[in-house]
């Protein structure tokens, strides 16, 4: 909400006569408050303050004029201006990210609360005004509101709530005797019981010389305070009351729409949020903020699937804003909303054409990286990956080495290259991402995993490429080889800007001799021709400069500037990135070691020993590459091709048997049983007694790396416990460290499952999906893999389900009609009374769902008599089964409830079991299952569900983190009061020791 300085209606007091005339009518117009009885500090104990004169002095026209004027201009005006300055500074520090959904407000209370000095000054000034001035003046309620707002911006929300509530109570309408009228009473405002607001019907004098009553405004700020505390229900209820309040003033309707928009924004009802926000635009304080909200409205309509409205608001924001960045993003988003009308209309091409036109305009030059990024995204929409790669490269080239779009473009390039199996280019792209950029935190885990995999794959690819090239050159004839090396050397020296005249000797006949005499740069052989007119001499000087300094930009202080740029960015320049698969360009400075034809010849495998070493390098690299593709990507198809290449090029390779085994493994994962059988038959033919056949047919019962596995298991169990207990940052850091040591060899499905639940809960869907796919791939056939498949299926439909629920309109029938329909169709029946277990046993009724309660013996009866507790044993009363969890994060408490709901629907169809979550303490949470008529039925359920819990229902939750109890409603209320779960467990062990044995 935004508030202008109050008192702007008072432009000028023309004459004192007019003022006194008006104040004659204003006599007593200050809102009635309450009386104060405050304890004064010692030094003011004998001093009569202004507020104490409220009941002792007469309120006449001169006093009203004096008190109102001093309060307004000496206190309220200054305090309000200072509060607005605090808000303006917070907005100036706020950094917008137009690529994401904008926050509702362009400031945060974390920023405003840091301006503590000025906020305390506002509070001191307001306190002084209230204590030093007569409380009957017209500005007292405005001062209380100002204090409440100051506490709100200070992020002291409890104090703000108290002050807004105080204004609501103290300035509520009163009867003629001065007693407050109950809110909602039919005595209020003309007998209307459906109003809580204060009627603001005021005469011209009031409108001119006083502020509107602050009580109605306090409702708006109370709603805002509720939402800031995440008390959405309370705020929504107050919104609904005010929306239907006939006395709620028209001037505050934009503020009410603002609160409705904020509520819908928080519950992600995007279309409703956009509608109400469009009606709250009058509340903005300037053109920039209005354009910002218009941009947000466009984003909200885009999320609600309304491209026409979205485009309209984006274009409106672009036309109103004074921020060039907002204008660019608004126009880009408006273009993106052009989805076309028919299938024949190539709307993507039209949008790309519009983007190209923007790119050609000089005004948009600073935002070319954004334009090219959006163009690349549009090319990906029509699966034109080549064009998308080119646009992403243009985005990087125009990002000046820094910026959010640069890292996003590199990430997208890495994704594309990985999908196209271009692992060299993918590594160069991922290595160029600034991992400390907080804007890519959502993709950081996948990025680090892929960088780790590529760090194993790419070196092997480079070894194979390099050794293949060397072997191919070595296989040439001597004449062809010499010519090829000369060509390479010439190209290299040209790239370095080196002249061919240097290094004449010592190159084994491969240097470039020159008979040209050394030329004086500024002596043109006595011709009298000036240096700059002699093209030959000028070219010689240029080449000499390049040979010494390399290629340099035509700018001042380039030598110093290059060092500064390197220190500032610390990043790989975009021009040096090998995104086309070529080797990187070498440094502009000359290499320390001279590259000559002789040095190039020495690297060639021209002798049998060098050739064998080169082939061994290729053989080893092929095997390691296959293993890395298989274990770290995993890319089973490419791994199979690599193993095939190894077996074809090196039929006598020492890796043959293991390569066949790995191929068999890859085919199994690809669900290709035919080829898996073919590989197994080949293994039996070539290696009938090999160890890998035994591993396939008789898998070992215990791991060969038991000591290492034991250490790793203990370490991962610590990670597991941290995840369960909600220490996510610590768990993530420890898991990243362990993964770098052990890879994924010692992961467990339980660990991956709870990790996936964490990511899904906080809407890191891409990481959650990747983790779920790991479970499905690595642990096929397990219970947790089946759960992962279900969650993945729902997760893939998340957006559609949420859109459906957001647009779902449920019309509820009137309660009386429901009753009539129900009564009309119902037949008279006698009320059913649950049969106690004892009565059922006495009558001979047998129920398979009942568990017989063991009668206590004399020793147990003695224990019961000696045991003292506030709980009572009543097995015939309705009972609940409770899952008690200790040190379990609320994310997994909720998932446990969902798991038991699914289990009950599938295994107890027709039973009316209700589950709820209750917190016993900060570390102890309860999931309560209601609906059992007696203890026997509760124990019967517990026998079945309790045994299934660690195997089927919640197999991902450690058994030391939960236990079951049964409890009736009376004991549950006592337990929630005294919170002594250990005493209740002891109570159960005394009265039902066979089902709840004592804890030793």
């Amino acid at each position: 909400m935004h508030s202008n300085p109050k008192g702007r209606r008072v432009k000028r007091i023309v004459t004192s006569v007019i003022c006194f005339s008006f104040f004659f009518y204003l006599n007593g117009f200050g809102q009635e408050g309450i009386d104060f009885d405050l304890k004064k500090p010692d030094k003011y104990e004998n001093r009569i303050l202004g507020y104490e004169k409220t009941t002792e002095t007469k309120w006449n026209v001169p006093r009203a004029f004096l008190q109102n004027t001093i309060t307004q201009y000496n206190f309220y005006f200054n305090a309000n201006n200072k509060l607005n300055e605090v808000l303006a500074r917070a907005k100036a520090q706020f950094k917008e990210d137009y690529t994401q959904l904008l926050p509702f407000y362009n400031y945060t209370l974390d920023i405003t609360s840091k301006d503590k000095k000025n906020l305390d000054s506002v509070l001191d000034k307001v306190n002084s005004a209230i204590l030093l001035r007569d409380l009957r003046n017209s500005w007292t309620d405005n001062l209380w509101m100002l204090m409440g707002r100051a506490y709100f911006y200070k992020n002291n929300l409890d104090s703000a709530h108290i002050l807004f509530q105080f204004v609501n109570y103290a300035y509520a309408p009163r009867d003629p005797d001065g007693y407050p009228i109950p809110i909602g009473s039919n005595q209020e405002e003309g007998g209307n019981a459906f109003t809580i607001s204060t009627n603001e019907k005021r005469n011209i004098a009031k409108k001119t010389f006083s502020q509107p009553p602050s009580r109605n405004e306090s409702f708006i700020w109370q709603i805002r305070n509720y939402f800031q505390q995440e008390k959405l229900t309370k705020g929504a209820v107050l919104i609904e009351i005010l929306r239907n309040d006939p006395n709620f003033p028209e001037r505050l309707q934009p503020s009410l729409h603002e609160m409705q928009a904020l509520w819908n924004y928080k519950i992600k009802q995007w279309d409703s949020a956009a509608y109400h926000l469009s009606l709250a635009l009058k509340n903005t304080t300037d053109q920039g903020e209005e354009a910002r909200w218009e941009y947000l409205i466009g984003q909200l309509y885009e999320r609600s699937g309304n491209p026409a409205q979205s485009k309209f608001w984006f274009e409106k924001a672009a036309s109103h804003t004074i921020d060039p960045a907002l204008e660019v993003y608004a126009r880009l988003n408006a273009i993106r909303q052009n989805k076309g009308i028919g299938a024949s209309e190539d709307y993507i091409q039209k949008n790309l054409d519009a983007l190209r036109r923007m790119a050609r305009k000089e005004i948009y030059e600073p935002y070319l990286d954004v334009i090219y990024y959006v163009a690349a995204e549009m090319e990906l929409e029509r699966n034109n990956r080549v064009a998308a790669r080119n646009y992403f490269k243009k985005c990087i080239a125009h990002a000046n080495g820094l910026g959010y779009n640069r890292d996003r473009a590199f990430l997208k390039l890495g994704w594309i290259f990985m999908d196209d199996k271009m692992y060299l280019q993918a590594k160069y792209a991922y290595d160029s991402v600034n991992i400390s950029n907080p804007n890519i935190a959502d993709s950081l885990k996948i990025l680090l995993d892929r960088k780790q995999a590529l760090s194993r794959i790419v070196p092997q690819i480079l070894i194979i490429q390099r050794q293949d090239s060397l072997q191919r050159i070595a296989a040439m004839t001597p004449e062809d080889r010499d010519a090829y090396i000369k060509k390479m050397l010439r190209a290299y020296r040209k790239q370095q800007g080196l002249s061919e005249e240097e290094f004449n000797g010592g190159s084994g006949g491969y240097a470039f001799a020159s008979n040209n005499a050394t030329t004086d740069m500024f002596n043109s052989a006595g011709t009298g021709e000036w240096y700059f007119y002699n093209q030959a001499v000028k070219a010689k000087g240029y080449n000499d400069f390049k040979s010494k300094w390399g290629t340099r930009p035509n700018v001042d202080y380039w030598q110093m500037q290059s060092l500064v740029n390197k220190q500032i960015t610390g990043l790989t320049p975009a021009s040096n990135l090998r995104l086309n698969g070529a080797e990187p360009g070498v440094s502009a400075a000359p290499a320390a070691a001279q590259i000559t034809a002789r040095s190039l010849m020495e690297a060639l495998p021209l002798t049998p020993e060098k050739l064998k070493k080169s082939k061994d390098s290729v053989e080893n690299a092929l095997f390691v590459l296959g293993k890395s593709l298989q274990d770290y990507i995993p890319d089973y198809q490419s791994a199979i091709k690599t193993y095939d290449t190894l077996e074809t090029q090196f039929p006598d390779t020492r890796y043959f048997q293991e390569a066949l085994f790995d191929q068999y493994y890859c085919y199994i994962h690809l669900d290709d049983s035919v080829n898996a059988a073919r590989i197994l038959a080949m293994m039996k033919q070539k290696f009938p007694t090999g160890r890998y056949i035994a591993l396939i047919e008789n898998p070992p019962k215990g791991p060969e790396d038991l000591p290492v596995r034991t250490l790793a298991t203990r370490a991962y169990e610590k990670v597991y416990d941290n995840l369960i207990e909600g220490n996510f940052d610590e768990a993530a850091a420890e898991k990243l460290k362990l993964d770098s040591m052990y890879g994924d060899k010692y992961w467990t499905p339980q660990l991956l499952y709870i990790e996936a639940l964490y990511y899904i809960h906080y809407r890191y869907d891409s990481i959650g999906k990747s983790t779920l796919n790991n479970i499905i791939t690595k642990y096929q056939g397990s219970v947790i893999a089946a759960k992962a498949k279900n969650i993945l299926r729902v997760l893939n439909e998340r957006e559609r389900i949420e859109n459906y629920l957001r647009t779902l309109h449920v019309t509820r029938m009137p309660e009386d009609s429901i009753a009539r329909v129900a009564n009309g169709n119902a037949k008279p029946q006698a009320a059913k009374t649950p049969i106690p277990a004892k009565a059922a046993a006495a009558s001979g009724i047998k129920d398979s769902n009942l568990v017989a309660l063991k009668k206590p013996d004399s020793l147990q009866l003695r224990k019961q008599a000696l045991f003292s507790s506030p709980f009572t044993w009543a097995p015939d009363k309705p009972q609940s089964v409770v899952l008690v969890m200790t040190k379990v994060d609320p994310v997994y408490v909720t998932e446990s409830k969902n798991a038991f709901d699914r289990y009950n629907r599938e295994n107890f169809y027709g039973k009316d079991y209700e589950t709820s979550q209750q917190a016993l303490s900060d570390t102890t949470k309860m999931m309560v299952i209601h609906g059992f008529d007696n203890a026997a039925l509760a124990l019967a359920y517990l026998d079945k569900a309790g045994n299934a819990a660690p195997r089927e229902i919640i197999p991902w939750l450690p058994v030391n983190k939960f236990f079951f109890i049964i409890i009736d409603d009376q004991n549950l209320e006592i337990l929630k009061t005294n919170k002594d779960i250990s005493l209740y467990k002891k109570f159960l062990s005394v009265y039902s020791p066979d089902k709840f044995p004592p804890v030793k």
Side-chain angles (χ1 to χ4, degrees):
M1 285 170 303
H2 315 276
S3 58
N4 296 321
K6 295 185 178 180
R8 289 181 179 175
R9 295 187 183 89
V10 181
K11 300 296 184 181
R12 183 177 294 174
I13 301 178
V14 182
T15 63
S16 60
V17 176
I18 297 176
C19 295
F20 276 95
S21 300
F22 275 120
F23 269 98
F24 177 79
Y25 293 103
L26 286 172
N27 186 18
F29 282 172
Q31 291 187 357
E32 292 186 70
I34 63 170
D35 297 329
F36 299 92
D37 184 14
L38 304 178
K39 180 176 176 56
K40 292 184 288 187
D42 293 338
K43 63 179 180 178
Y44 296 110
E45 190 173 358
N46 298 321
R47 178 179 172 183
I48 299 177
L49 299 179
Y51 82 92
E52 295 178 297
K53 299 177 182 179
T54 301
T55 57
E56 299 175 1
T57 58
K58 186 177 179 181
W59 184 253
N60 51 32
V61 174
R63 183 169 181 80
F65 174 76
L66 182 66
Q67 292 294 327
N68 283 333
T69 304
I70 294 177
T71 304
Q72 178 182 1
Y73 292 107
N74 281 20
F75 293 97
Y76 180 85
F77 178 80
N78 293 326
N80 190 55
N81 279 354
K82 183 164 286 190
L83 193 62
N84 289 334
E85 289 170 3
V86 169
L87 194 59
R89 281 192 291 271
K91 292 177 180 179
Q93 296 178 50
F94 191 79
K95 186 173 178 60
E96 301 281 11
D97 182 0
Y98 296 111
T99 63
Q100 305 294 322
L101 179 66
L102 293 183
F104 196 85
Y105 292 107
N106 57 343
Y107 62 91
T108 65
L109 298 191
D110 292 334
I111 299 298
T112 58
S113 61
K114 291 179 181 178
D115 205 346
K116 185 175 181 297
K117 180 179 178 181
N118 286 299
L119 289 173
D120 287 342
S121 175
V122 171
L123 293 173
D124 289 343
K125 191 170 284 293
V126 170
N127 275 317
S128 300
I130 292 172
L131 295 176
L132 299 178
R133 311 318 311 167
D134 194 310
L135 294 178
R136 289 169 292 182
N137 74 75
S138 300
W139 295 89
T140 306
D141 60 327
N142 306 119
L143 290 169
W144 287 119
M145 277 300 302
L146 200 61
M147 182 184 290
R149 288 170 52 205
Y151 275 119
F152 179 82
Y153 290 135
K154 204 174 179 181
N155 208 11
N156 193 338
L157 303 180
D158 290 337
S159 297
H161 168 80
I162 292 171
L163 281 160
F164 297 144
Q165 196 75 359
F166 167 77
V167 173
N168 175 23
Y169 168 75
Y171 296 94
R174 297 170 181 263
D175 61 18
D177 296 327
Y179 293 101
I181 299 174
I183 293 176
S185 168
N186 58 10
Q187 302 177 50
E188 183 181 347
E189 306 294 347
N192 191 341
F194 298 101
T195 181
I196 64 171
S197 304
T198 299
N199 197 321
E200 293 188 0
K201 292 180 180 178
R202 305 187 303 150
N203 56 34
I204 297 176
K206 285 187 178 181
K207 290 181 179 180
T208 306
F209 289 95
S210 67
Q211 286 290 104
S214 290
R215 181 171 177 269
N216 292 328
E217 192 178 347
S218 73
F219 292 126
I220 298 295
W221 279 94
Q222 191 69 280
I223 296 170
R224 175 81 189 279
N225 198 62
Y226 280 140
F227 287 160
Q228 190 67 32
Q229 294 175 305
E230 296 301 324
K231 298 178 180 178
L232 301 184
T233 304
K234 288 187 176 182
V237 169
L238 192 48
I239 286 175
E240 196 64 22
I241 293 172
L242 295 177
R243 194 173 66 85
N244 295 287
D245 193 325
N247 286 327
F248 193 71
E250 186 66 28
R251 68 180 181 89
L252 290 179
Q253 287 298 331
S255 297
L256 185 58
H257 283 296
E258 181 181 334
M259 291 300 99
Q260 289 178 276
L262 178 58
W263 175 42
N264 286 288
Y265 180 93
K266 283 183 170 290
I267 63 177
K268 298 181 180 179
Q269 289 187 353
W270 309 122
D271 51 348
S272 298
Y275 170 75
H276 288 291
L277 189 57
S278 66
L279 298 177
L281 290 175
K282 294 179 181 178
N283 248 19
T284 55
T285 56
D286 55 45
Q287 184 177 347
E289 293 202 354
E290 182 179 4
R292 180 188 181 275
W293 266 3
E294 288 170 346
Y295 184 86
L296 177 57
I297 294 169
Q299 289 183 312
L300 295 172
Y301 274 124
E302 181 182 10
R303 293 202 168 205
S304 65
N306 191 339
Q309 281 292 320
S310 179
K311 181 182 179 182
F312 170 79
W313 285 101
F314 280 135
E315 290 175 344
K316 199 169 183 179
S319 63
H320 287 169
T321 185
I322 56 176
D323 180 3
L326 176 56
E327 180 187 358
V328 170
Y329 281 102
R331 295 198 184 282
L332 289 174
N333 281 295
I335 291 172
R336 287 177 56 248
Q337 302 313 309
N338 182 21
K339 301 296 184 182
I341 302 173
S344 60
E345 185 176 1
D346 190 358
Y347 68 91
I348 293 180
Q349 187 59 49
K350 290 185 176 181
N351 292 344
L352 287 169
D353 293 340
L355 289 174
R356 292 192 190 100
R357 288 193 294 271
M358 286 184 67
R360 287 194 292 267
K361 294 181 180 180
E362 186 178 355
I363 190 175
Y364 298 122
E365 187 174 351
Y367 306 99
L368 285 176
D369 57 333
V370 182
I371 295 172
Y372 287 130
Y373 185 89
V374 174
E377 291 276 14
M378 290 183 178
E379 290 288 7
L380 284 179
E381 281 188 37
R382 60 181 181 180
N383 202 28
N384 189 349
R385 303 166 79 85
V386 175
R389 289 206 300 262
N390 291 332
Y391 277 124
F392 281 131
K393 292 175 187 177
K394 288 183 178 182
C395 169
I396 293 165
H398 289 85
N400 299 319
L402 294 171
Y404 174 48
N405 288 313
R406 175 190 183 277
D407 291 325
R408 287 202 306 165
F410 274 124
L411 278 175
K412 287 287 187 177
L413 280 173
W415 261 236
I416 295 172
F417 288 138
M418 288 292 288
D419 288 344
D420 294 341
K421 305 186 189 306
M422 301 168 67
Y423 297 120
L424 276 167
Q425 293 86 338
K427 181 177 179 0
Y428 302 144
Y430 285 141
D431 286 346
S432 302
V433 176
N434 177 15
I435 61 175
S436 62
N437 187 344
N439 294 315
I440 63 164
D442 197 20
S443 305
L444 185 59
K445 183 179 184 297
I446 297 177
L447 170 65
L448 295 177
D449 289 345
R450 290 189 171 183
K451 286 185 68 172
Q452 181 185 11
L454 292 171
S455 67
R456 298 173 181 269
I457 292 170
V458 170
Q460 311 308 320
I461 295 176
L462 293 175
I463 290 172
I464 295 168
Q465 289 180 349
R466 184 166 57 250
Q467 295 303 326
D468 282 348
S469 298
L470 292 175
Q471 291 176 27
R472 187 171 61 254
I473 296 172
M476 294 178 179
T477 63
E479 293 78 10
D480 293 340
R481 185 165 58 244
D482 292 347
Y484 184 79
I485 290 178
K486 285 182 180 180
K487 183 179 179 182
M488 284 183 59
L489 190 59
R490 189 178 299 112
Y492 172 77
R493 294 178 64 79
K494 183 178 180 181
Q495 183 183 17
Q496 294 300 307
L498 301 176
S499 64
E500 297 182 3
E501 288 80 0
E502 297 181 12
F503 308 111
N504 289 342
S507 58
Y510 294 104
F512 306 101
S514 174
N515 295 324
N516 296 335
T518 303
T519 306
D520 184 359
M521 182 180 296
F522 294 100
N523 182 10
S524 301
T527 61
E529 187 178 14
W530 190 38
Y531 165 78
F532 291 104
Y533 291 159
N534 190 326
Q535 296 300 323
V537 177
K538 184 178 175 182
K540 177 66 171 62
Y542 176 74
N543 289 331
D544 288 342
F545 179 86
K546 286 185 65 176
S547 67
K548 182 175 182 180
W549 299 106
T551 304
R552 296 291 178 175
N554 186 20
V555 295
D556 293 334
Y557 307 111
W558 46 260
Q559 190 172 11
M560 184 181 296
Q561 188 62 40
S562 63
L563 295 173
V564 172
N565 290 340
K566 187 175 181 181
Q567 290 180 355
I568 291 176
T569 63
L571 301 172
T572 306
S575 58
N576 289 342
L577 295 168
R578 298 169 287 179
L579 296 178
N580 57 356
E583 290 294 327
V586 293
S587 173
Q594 299 174 2
I595 297 180
T596 63
R598 178 177 296 174
S599 65
L600 293 177
M601 289 288 289
E602 289 176 354
L604 296 176
L606 297 175
T607 65
E609 293 79 10
K610 287 186 176 181
L611 183 59
K612 182 179 185 305
K613 186 177 180 181
S614 176
K615 289 184 176 180
D616 288 346
S617 297
V618 175
E619 177 186 355
N620 183 70
L622 282 170
F623 179 72
V624 175
L625 177 60
K627 293 285 287 185
S628 300
L629 289 169
Q630 167 189 318
D631 294 337
Y632 290 96
I633 297 295
D635 181 1
Y636 297 118
Q637 292 285 8
S638 297
I640 291 171
K641 291 180 181 179
T642 305
Y643 291 133
D644 284 337
T645 304
L646 172 66
E647 294 159 6
T648 303
Q649 290 187 8
F650 304 95
D652 297 327
T653 177
R654 63 184 183 277
Y655 301 117
F656 206 119
Q657 184 180 181
E658 190 172 354
L660 287 175
F661 174 75
D662 289 333
Q663 279 183 289
Y664 173 84
Y665 173 87
C666 292
Y667 280 125
I668 290 296
H669 277 273
L670 291 172
D671 201 18
D672 189 347
S673 57
V674 175
N675 279 308
R678 177 178 62 81
I679 295 296
L680 182 58
M682 189 183 301
M683 292 177 65
K684 290 181 178 180
Q685 179 184 357
K686 290 181 176 291
F687 309 100
T689 59
R691 62 186 293 265
Y692 291 103
I693 293 178
L695 285 175
I696 293 173
E697 296 181 345
N698 300 299
K701 295 182 179 179
E704 297 176 354
D705 56 343
L706 185 59
V708 178
R709 178 179 290 272
T710 302
L711 292 174
T713 301
R714 289 175 181 171
Y716 275 112
E717 283 176 353
K718 184 179 178 182
V719 174
Y720 187 30
D721 288 339
N722 280 329
L723 279 172
I724 286 291
E725 295 174 10
N727 304 322
F728 298 118
D729 292 339
E730 182 180 346
E734 186 64 18
K735 184 174 183 295
L736 189 63
K737 177 182 175 183
L738 293 173
D739 290 350
S740 65
M741 296 169 56
Y742 302 113
D744 61 354
K745 193 173 181 181
Y746 302 108
W747 288 353
T748 62
Q750 292 87 349
L751 173 66
L752 294 178
Y753 188 84
I754 61 171
E755 186 182 17
L757 291 180
Y758 162 70
Y759 288 127
I760 293 168
H761 178 77
Y762 290 99
R763 304 190 77 86
Y764 299 142
D765 289 354
S766 59
I767 305 178
K769 289 178 182 179
S770 175
T771 309
L772 291 172
N773 281 320
N774 269 336
I775 298 173
I776 296 168
T777 303
K778 293 177 179 294
Y779 307 100
Q780 293 183 3
S782 65
V783 174
I784 292 187
K787 290 180 177 292
K789 287 180 181 178
N790 288 334
I791 291 183
L792 188 60
R793 176 178 54 80
V794 175
L795 189 60
N796 289 330
E797 296 289 323
R798 171 185 269 188
E799 191 67 25
R800 184 184 65 79
I801 294 171
E802 289 179 346
N803 287 336
Y804 169 76
L805 293 176
R806 281 195 293 267
T807 57
L808 182 63
H809 298 285
V810 179
T811 304
R812 185 175 179 181
M813 295 177 64
E815 302 228 356
D816 54 346
S817 64
I818 296 174
R820 285 196 298 271
V821 172
N823 293 334
N825 295 332
K827 295 180 179 180
Q829 291 183 354
K832 291 185 178 180
T833 303
I835 304 174
K838 292 180 180 179
S843 61
I845 300 175
K846 294 184 178 180
D847 189 345
S848 59
N849 290 326
L850 288 175
V851 171
L853 295 176
K854 186 178 178 182
K855 292 183 178 181
D857 54 21
S858 58
L859 180 61
Q860 187 179 345
L861 289 172
R862 179 175 175 80
K863 286 183 179 180
Q864 293 175 5
L866 295 175
F867 182 77
S868 176
S869 78
F871 307 105
T872 56
W873 179 245
D876 292 335
K877 284 186 176 181
Q879 304 280 331
S880 300
V881 175
V882 182
L883 173 67
V884 183
M885 291 165 277
T886 56
K887 292 185 178 180
V888 176
D889 189 81
V891 172
Y892 307 114
V893 175
T894 302
E895 180 57 24
S896 299
K897 177 183 177 299
N898 296 337
F900 272 89
D901 284 339
R902 288 191 295 268
Y903 175 79
N904 291 338
R905 285 196 303 268
E906 294 169 3
N907 295 274
F908 298 91
Y909 181 76
K911 298 290 185 181
D912 188 19
Y913 294 150
E914 293 182 7
T915 57
S916 62
Q917 296 174 222
Q918 299 181 21
L920 199 59
S921 67
D922 291 339
T923 58
T924 305
K925 308 293 190 299
M926 299 190 300
M927 193 272 295
V928 185
I929 306 173
H930 309 272
F932 304 95
D933 292 337
N934 49 56
L937 290 173
L939 289 172
Y941 173 89
L942 188 54
D943 278 352
K944 186 174 181 180
N947 292 328
R951 293 182 288 103
E952 301 174 25
I953 308 175
I954 46 174
W956 39 268
L957 192 61
V959 293
N960 63 336
K961 292 289 184 182
F962 68 90
F963 58 90
F964 289 94
I965 60 173
I966 64 170
I967 193 168
D968 59 48
D969 292 342
Q970 180 181 342
N971 287 337
L972 181 59
E973 292 302 318
I974 296 172
L975 179 61
K976 285 157 61 176
T977 301
N978 64 22
K979 303 183 184 302
D980 194 346
I981 190 66
S982 58
L983 178 62
Y984 188 76
K985 287 176 68 178
K986 189 174 182 181
F987 164 80
L988 286 178
S989 68
V990 170
Y991 285 89
S992 184
D994 54 328
K995 297 298 179 182
F996 302 95
V999 179
K1000 297 181 180 180

